[in-house]
Amino acid sequence: MINLDGNTTVKVHVSTENVTSNGTLGTQQQNQTKFSGMSRGSNIDVSTREEYHLTALNGDLHSQTVLLNGNILSVNSSGSVPPLEPIETSQSDPITVAPFSIVFAHIANSTVPACEYVD
């Protein structure tokens, strides 16, 4: 998710309502947009999700320093990228997208029909 507004924080609610037994969304329409379906019966803990928040240092879009979850993101002396550590949050909490930021959310065992491979 990308928030290009410099003054507004956006909260995105992820819903698993209307999920069918095969993990895809049903066809019933509601007022909220569905972003993904959660597979039922998985052994993976679906009560949490992993989030990666990218922001500019001090909110300055001209900064050459990028923060990942509040920590400076830079290569080490050998040029290797450090481990990308996520923030674990409750699946029931909304995803908070700060002003001028990008958020990637990894939702375990989710099925997004638009991303499925088709022969």
Side-chain angles (χ1 to χ4, degrees), residues 27-65:
T27 57
Q28 182 181 18
Q29 292 292 325
Q30 291 187 352
N31 293 336
Q32 295 180 341
T33 301
K34 306 300 182 211
F35 291 103
S36 68
M38 301 297 293
S39 298
R40 303 254 188 227
S42 168
N43 292 331
I44 296 176
D45 181 11
V46 293
S47 65
T48 63
R49 66 172 174 266
E50 296 176 333
E51 296 179 4
Y52 301 85
H53 296 255
L54 294 170
T55 55
L57 182 64
N58 297 322
D60 178 10
L61 293 182
H62 297 286
S63 173
Q64 294 183 6
T65 303

Side-chain angles (χ1 to χ4, degrees), residues 2 12 25 36 50 66 69 82-83 91 94-96 98 100 103 112 118:
I2 301 173
V12 179
L25 296 175
S36 68
E50 296 176 333
V66 175
N69 298 332
Q91 182 66 27
I95 299 171
T96 301
F100 291 137
V103 177
V112 180
V118 179

Side-chain angles (χ1 to χ4, degrees), residues 55-114:
T55 55
L57 182 64
N58 297 322
D60 178 10
L61 293 182
H62 297 286
S63 173
Q64 294 183 6
T65 303
V66 175
L67 304 177
L68 172 63
N69 298 332
N71 300 311
I72 294 176
L73 183 61
S74 63
V75 296
N76 63 21
S77 59
S78 65
S80 297
V81 175
L84 304 177
E85 299 294 333
I87 296 172
E88 276 198 25
T89 60
S90 172
Q91 182 66 27
S92 62
D93 291 342
I95 299 171
T96 301
V97 188
F100 291 137
S101 72
I102 300 172
V103 177
F104 296 92
H106 174 244
I107 303 170
N109 248 13
S110 62
T111 302
V112 180

Side-chain angles (χ1 to χ4, degrees), residues 10-25:
V10 177
K11 294 192 181 280
V12 179
H13 294 270
V14 179
S15 175
T16 58
E17 294 177 21
N18 295 330
V19 176
T20 62
S21 61
N22 66 358
T24 59
L25 296 175

